[in-house]
Amino acid sequence: MDILIQQFVNALSLGGTYALLALGLAMVFSVLGLINFAHGDLMTLTGYTMFFAIGAGLGLPLAVVLGIACATLAAVAMERVAFRPVRDANTATMLLTSLAVSTILHMLFQNLISARPRAIPVPSWMIGAVDVGGLAIGVIQLMSITATALLLIALSIFLRRSILGIAMRAAALDFPVTRLMGINANAVVATAFGLSGLLAGVAGVLWLAQRGSVDPLMGFLPVLKAFIAVVLGGLGSLAGAVVGGFALAFIEVFLRAFLPDGWLPFRESITLTLVIVLLLVRPEGLIGRRENVR
Amino acid sequence: MSSGPEHLLDVAGLEVRYGAIEAIRGAGLEVCKGEIVTLLGANGAGKSSFLNAVMGLVPLAAGRVALDGEDITGETPEAVVRRGMTLCPEGRRVFANLTVRENLAIGGATRRRAGDAATILADMLDRFPVLAERHDQMAGTLSGGEQQMLAIARAMMSAPRIVLLDEPSLGLAPRVVDTIFEMIVALQHHGATILLVEQNVDLALDIADRGYVLASGRVALSGPASELQASGEVERAYMGRD
Amino acid sequence: MLHASTTRIAAVAAGLVVAGGVAQGDSHGITIGYAGGFTGYLAPYDQPSLNGVQLALDQINEAGGIMGMPVELVVKDTRSDTAQAAVVAQELIEEGVVAMIVSCDVDPAVASGVMAQAAEIPSASSCASTPSLPAAVGPYMFSNYTADNLQGAVLAEYARGQGYENAYILLSRDTPYTEKLPEYFGEAFEAMGGTVVAVGEYTMGQQDFSAEVTNIGGLDPSPDVIQTSAYEPDFPAFIKQLRAAGIDTPVLGSDGIDSPTTFALGDVAEGVVFSNAGFASPGSALEAFEMAYEAKYGTPNDTVFTATGYDLMMVIAAAIEAAGSTDGPAIRDAWDNLENVQVATGSITYKDQNRVPVRVVALNQVSGGERVHVGDFSPDPSMIPAP
Ligand SMILES: Nc1ncnc2c1ncn2[C@@H]1O[C@H](COP(=O)(O)OP(=O)(O)OP(=O)(O)O)[C@@H](O)[C@H]1O
Ligand SMILES: [Mg+2]
């Protein structure tokens, strides 16, 4: 029983990071119909910013703030420079653009910084665990769960209460009509990118705290997971992305924890099979966007 | 403002192309302040294309659009809305997964700085009481007629000087259409200027001051609504003369 | 760093770097090829290897070249792509290289290696450590790097020497290295009388080891030692989560964790023992290499792959020198008989080893963020698991 609760907490913490990433991906997808494969590279950018900030003696808290800010600004810049010119082009063009952006960033990281990983030291207090009712919860896990919860609450308030937030949800449903409300399309798109960058930055910090180093290609795997989470939750649904992120983490952690030894080599295939089965049962995803009732 | 007919909306020589398709081939019209003008035409005549081009939603290949004397040709839809012209699009297109309240709130996005969003909202809820009842319901769960009322109210939330309505009767039961048209007339009485696209010729000419008939992307016929109604030429124009 | 970077960008753009300045085809020059993954996922290994190779090349040419002839290196990027590795190898063969360095990973190394094999040109992977690689390609393919079975055996011998009875191994089937090395360790550990109590599996890049760590905590009997060949980002994530769960079982790693990240981990990495290709003790050849490296590149060396790249270039030079010819079969035979070639990490012997060299394995311990030399080991060949 204890071990079950422990694994539950484990999944919750991992799910938080997946959810933040998936939400960022979904946010951009919902307004532009673009899966931004350079999304994971924003995490990498957070990592390098932190690496240089710590190297410059700025200390961890400032490094974290700068890292997140850098990812946010980079996302906005990415939209302005790379995606705005192809906004009206077809989906394939936009997808290729995002792959190109990602590849260019990899090349820049590898050649201007280093192909080798760069260490990001994490203070030792973060590595301990706190005892919560007999459960050992890692400090990083706790930070991950807390940061995710706070960010999701803040974001949901923004999306429900502010006009820009409502406009973003509206844009996800019907972009042209949102413009008919006098809402500036560029502002909505830039906000979506900015928020996705912010989310990637926070996820990046949590991810980096676990891995202890940044390398040029580190964004690839997380963006893949986030993509699976987004599809699982329902393409175009923001709530779906969050649910998909948690669902994926729960499937992963519980398979790794409870699969019999002989089955372990197949855990990734089992995960993907489960995702596919879920999608067969519910093609629109766990919280897919229901067809508009007219 | 001076009295007498003054063009609030002035469109001339409008052309719209979708690749090789020439949807509008040089059409124009004028709408005076306080008027209901109707733009009629068969399926595919280019009515929606005309409105969308006027709003800046689709690019225009040629032509000039002026709002209250100011050239707004080629401006983005959001800029046009801020200048005081809006479109209630064909098929209603309410934000299905947003509540009625949110749909109206976003409709009034441009009035927030002016500070009169709350007043306009109160006015709309007064005019469309059913929306007040359904305030927290998802727009997608409303009936077709309710959605059309929401779409009109949402458009009116920006306090437009002129509103373009694209087929508000589409897919609605006759009794509901009557209600909607009564509301359009009421809007006019409250000072609204309306360009109404319709397929329902009789109803539209009933409430309109003047009318235009679009056929194959050109204005085939125009005149005071009563004359058009009486002449019986509208039906012939509908067939297209090209 | 910036200097090296601009060269690399130029290398990527032009597809080749010419060092030495003597064009191939000139009877006075010797051309060596390097088909490496300088961009893509192999860049972290092949880029440093290339730096080491170029340093060796400078030294060789300064000392008069090989057999009195200047040596030139032709570098081509495989973009870490296996198909491209074959294409690029063929291009190098057409340019007349007499020996070829191929990628650090097994698959592209095989792809390039079979082309070289067919052309009877000897080749060696810069740092692939799978001992079965040369046999998989043929008599013209050599290994260079410390083999996985060798490291596994040395780690097992050390573990048994510490009196550890029960071991947990954590492996990933994503690469032969992360899968086989722990398996070789387990095999040797059991051959020496120990027991492997459980095997955990992870996916490279999974970050989250909470499930595995929770399982380790629940093991009965609990292990005396944990061995893994996970490297970053997996190793730091694993050990942080392991220590955070209050599990202080000793951990043995392999050369993949010989990286600044490991030494920046702080308390959690304290006491970790890992194997690698050598320790730069004062006065050693490796220390001299480190100094020469910093002098050439203006930045301290931060990985052993530079040194092993350097070693490989020195081995190739020794083989050609011994063959007294640039003829492929002659070089191959000479290479296969090399003994005690003095290189940066110590010495290398190919004679009687089926093209998988015997070289020293060093054990190091992380202590206070520094590396402490535990010792250099050459295990009894009978204790090395067969590939
Ligand atoms: N996005 C588009 N791409 C290509 N062709 C289009 C597009 N939109 C409209 N058309 C074409 O342009 C012509 C005019 O269409 P439009 O929708 O403007 O007509 P309409 O008068 O509004 O018709 P309806 O009464 O059915 O709404 C039609 O032939 C239509 O097929
Ligand atoms: Mg239409």
Side-chain angles (χ1 to χ4, degrees):
Chain A
M1 189 59 203
D2 267 3
I3 233 166
L4 202 69
I5 300 173
Q6 183 77 56
Q7 299 290 17
F8 187 86
V9 173
N10 294 342
L12 205 60
S13 147
L14 179 65
T17 312
Y18 284 175
L20 294 183
L21 274 175
L23 187 56
L25 209 57
M27 219 155 223
V28 167
F29 180 84
S30 66
V31 297
L32 280 194
L34 158 77
I35 289 288
N36 181 11
F37 277 100
H39 189 64
D41 302 313
L42 296 169
M43 295 172 79
T44 316
L45 216 53
T46 302
Y48 282 120
T49 309
M50 286 175 67
F51 170 73
F52 287 115
I54 292 170
L58 296 182
L60 190 65
L62 198 54
V64 167
V65 172
L66 285 176
I68 295 172
C70 185
T72 311
L73 293 178
V76 174
M78 206 184 266
E79 189 272 322
R80 189 72 193 79
V81 176
F83 296 117
R84 195 170 296 183
V86 296
R87 190 186 292 168
D88 297 322
N90 58 24
T91 317
T93 307
M94 285 206 287
L95 199 70
L96 286 179
T97 305
S98 86
L99 284 171
V101 169
S102 178
T103 309
I104 290 169
L105 287 175
H106 292 170
M107 293 279 275
L108 289 177
F109 294 148
Q110 282 187 342
N111 291 299
L112 296 181
I113 302 174
S114 170
R116 301 285 308 161
R118 289 285 177 248
I120 295 185
V122 170
S124 49
W125 61 263
M126 265 199 216
I127 287 154
V130 286
D131 189 86
V132 180
L135 287 177
I137 302 182
V139 173
I140 295 177
Q141 280 189 327
L142 207 62
M143 282 168 41
S144 167
I145 294 172
T146 317
T148 309
L150 289 179
L151 213 52
L152 289 183
I153 291 170
L155 214 62
S156 119
I157 292 174
F158 166 76
L159 287 173
R160 294 199 179 277
R161 298 268 181 275
S162 79
I163 278 291
L164 193 55
I166 296 173
M168 289 190 57
R169 287 162 56 220
L173 295 166
D174 193 334
F175 203 101
V177 175
T178 308
R179 302 181 72 183
L180 283 180
M181 305 295 111
I183 306 285
N184 188 329
N186 288 338
V188 170
V189 175
T191 308
F193 269 90
L195 284 175
S196 86
L198 176 83
L199 292 166
V202 174
V205 170
L206 298 171
W207 202 253
L208 286 157
Q210 293 282 24
R211 57 182 278 149
S213 69
V214 49
D215 68 64
L217 307 182
M218 76 167 245
F220 178 71
L221 196 87
V223 82
L224 206 66
K225 299 278 184 190
F227 177 63
I228 296 173
V230 166
V231 173
L232 183 60
L235 263 178
S237 156
L238 300 184
V242 174
V243 172
F246 280 104
L248 182 64
F250 272 86
I251 294 175
E252 283 189 355
V253 166
F254 277 81
L255 282 182
R256 284 186 353 238
F258 298 113
L259 267 188
D261 279 0
W263 285 73
L264 276 178
F266 309 109
R267 68 209 175 283
E268 295 278 299
S269 351
I270 297 175
T271 303
L272 285 178
T273 310
L274 278 176
V275 169
I276 291 168
V277 168
L278 272 170
L279 287 176
L280 284 177
V281 179
R282 284 187 66 87
E284 74 279 22
L286 294 174
I287 307 199
R289 187 200 301 178
R290 265 159 236 113
E291 265 315 297
N292 297 4
V293 184
R294 291 248 164 94
Chain B
M1 296 272 161
S2 61
S3 58
E6 118 187 11
H7 295 172
L8 184 54
L9 175 64
D10 206 330
V11 185
L14 194 75
E15 288 179 28
V16 174
R17 292 197 194 104
Y18 304 107
I21 301 170
E22 291 184 59
I24 305 289
R25 315 172 183 207
L29 53 68
E30 305 89 45
V31 182
C32 298
K33 198 176 283 228
E35 270 190 315
I36 294 183
V37 170
T38 183
L39 179 61
L40 305 167
N43 279 328
K47 307 179 295 294
S48 298
S49 300
F50 187 93
L51 296 190
N52 290 341
V54 166
M55 283 305 295
L57 276 172
V58 300
L60 31 82
R64 199 184 97 94
V65 181
L67 183 65
D68 214 358
E70 281 180 78
D71 189 357
I72 60 162
T73 317
E75 288 196 1
T76 62
E78 49 265 44
V80 173
V81 170
R82 281 160 201 241
R83 283 179 177 276
M85 176 160 68
T86 194
L87 166 70
C88 179
E90 182 176 79
R92 304 184 262 286
R93 309 230 333 232
V94 296
F95 301 113
N97 283 3
L98 263 52
T99 62
V100 169
R101 183 202 299 273
E102 288 169 336
N103 268 276
L104 293 172
I106 188 175
T110 55
R111 304 309 303 175
R112 290 174 62 94
R113 202 163 292 161
D116 52 4
T119 326
I120 304 172
L121 179 64
D123 182 36
M124 284 304 138
L125 293 181
D126 200 34
R127 220 176 271 265
F128 301 96
V130 65
L131 297 182
E133 284 164 32
R134 306 286 154 97
H135 217 152
D136 290 315
Q137 201 166 316
M138 289 293 168
T141 63
L142 299 182
S143 74
E146 289 162 350
Q147 286 191 22
Q148 187 61 62
M149 288 182 215
L150 175 58
I152 294 173
R154 182 182 64 178
M156 297 310 294
M157 282 296 297
S158 65
R161 290 188 281 172
I162 173 167
V163 59
L164 319 184
L165 299 177
D166 197 347
E167 292 203 46
S169 69
L170 188 76
L172 300 181
R175 198 175 45 79
V176 182
V177 173
D178 288 343
T179 318
I180 300 279
F181 273 62
E182 279 162 25
M183 283 165 176
I184 295 172
V185 172
L187 287 176
Q188 183 192 26
H189 290 159
H190 279 81
T193 304
I194 293 162
L195 175 57
L196 172 68
V197 158
E198 260 306 329
Q199 293 223 41
N200 196 328
V201 179
D202 293 336
L203 269 181
L205 289 176
D206 266 351
I207 66 166
D209 300 301
R210 292 186 300 115
Y212 293 79
V213 180
L214 206 57
S216 305
R218 293 201 178 88
V219 173
L221 194 66
S222 64
S226 48
E227 286 178 22
L228 289 175
Q229 216 161 10
S231 73
E233 273 189 71
V234 174
E235 257 69 54
R236 200 140 35 86
Y238 249 66
M239 297 295 133
R241 300 187 301 194
D242 262 28
Chain C
M1 194 73 225
L2 204 63
H3 172 71
S5 311
T6 28
T7 335
R8 252 185 252 125
I9 292 175
V12 171
L16 79 169
V17 168
V18 178
V22 179
Q24 196 279 323
D26 185 324
S27 59
H28 299 294
I30 290 178
T31 312
I32 312 287
Y34 191 164
F38 305 110
T39 53
Y41 80 98
L42 286 173
Y45 315 98
D46 276 332
Q47 277 192 9
S49 291
L50 177 60
N51 285 346
V53 169
Q54 272 166 339
L55 175 57
L57 199 71
D58 287 358
Q59 293 182 359
I60 290 168
N61 279 329
E62 260 165 45
I66 302 175
M67 300 190 305
M69 287 188 279
V71 188
E72 142 185 69
L73 181 71
V74 181
V75 179
K76 285 186 187 281
D77 185 13
T78 65
R79 304 195 302 265
S80 302
D81 180 71
T82 300
Q84 190 65 14
V87 171
V88 158
Q90 189 56 43
E91 288 172 9
L92 287 173
I93 292 164
E94 280 159 18
E95 291 189 31
V97 301
V98 303
M100 198 189 300
I101 303 171
V102 301
S103 290
C104 189
D105 194 17
V106 177
D107 293 340
V110 168
S112 299
V114 294
M115 308 305 274
Q117 169 76 33
E120 299 196 328
I121 292 171
S123 69
S125 161
S126 53
C127 50
S129 57
T130 306
S132 54
L133 171 62
V137 173
Y140 280 83
M141 176 107 214
F142 291 82
S143 271
N144 165 52
Y145 201 72
T146 327
D148 297 339
N149 50 351
L150 195 59
Q151 287 193 60
V154 167
L155 288 166
E157 195 177 305
Y158 171 80
R160 290 296 291 144
Q162 296 292 303
Y164 303 144
E165 294 294 335
N166 298 315
Y168 172 90
I169 61 184
L170 178 69
L171 55 82
S172 166
R173 300 194 193 275
D174 295 347
T175 69
Y177 172 76
T178 50
E179 175 182 6
K180 292 292 184 193
L181 204 158
E183 286 184 351
Y184 288 131
F185 167 85
E187 198 180 326
F189 188 73
E190 298 210 311
M192 296 171 193
T195 308
V196 174
V197 290
V199 179
E201 288 196 22
Y202 67 99
T203 304
M204 290 175 79
Q206 80 181 24
Q207 295 293 297
D208 173 61
F209 286 89
S210 53
E212 290 77 10
V213 163
T214 306
N215 284 351
I216 294 173
L219 281 180
D220 184 31
S222 62
D224 307 314
V225 64
I226 295 170
Q227 199 281 324
T228 181
S229 291
Y231 51 94
E232 60 195 302
D234 308 311
F235 181 78
F238 169 66
I239 195 143
K240 279 181 195 174
Q241 292 167 43
L242 184 76
R243 297 302 186 229
I247 300 171
D248 53 9
T249 311
V251 172
L252 301 180
S254 49
D255 58 320
I257 63 169
D258 184 5
S259 145
T261 309
T262 304
F263 299 98
L265 283 174
D267 292 347
V268 291
E270 188 67 20
V272 168
V273 170
F274 65 92
S275 50
N276 74 353
F279 182 86
S281 36
S284 65
L286 192 51
E287 192 194 37
F289 167 82
E290 303 265 326
M291 279 155 56
Y293 184 94
E294 184 159 357
K296 177 169 166 70
Y297 294 105
T299 158
N301 178 34
D302 66 0
T303 164
V304 78
F305 300 119
T306 53
T308 52
Y310 177 95
D311 290 357
L312 179 53
M313 188 59 227
M314 287 303 186
V315 162
I316 293 172
I320 300 173
E321 200 76 59
S325 146
T326 55
D327 176 46
I331 299 174
R332 194 221 78 85
D333 291 344
W335 192 331
D336 209 7
N337 280 296
L338 288 177
E339 274 185 275
N340 293 320
V341 181
Q342 294 306 305
V343 293
T345 59
S347 81
I348 295 185
T349 294
Y350 280 90
K351 192 175 171 57
D352 298 330
Q353 300 302 324
N354 289 318
R355 307 186 303 285
V356 182
V358 176
R359 51 190 306 163
V360 123
V361 176
L363 286 187
N364 312 268
Q365 187 157 34
V366 182
S367 174
E370 300 287 333
R371 136 194 350 236
V372 174
H373 194 199
V374 176
D376 289 337
F377 296 80
S378 306
D380 181 343
S382 70
M383 282 296 160
I384 303 175

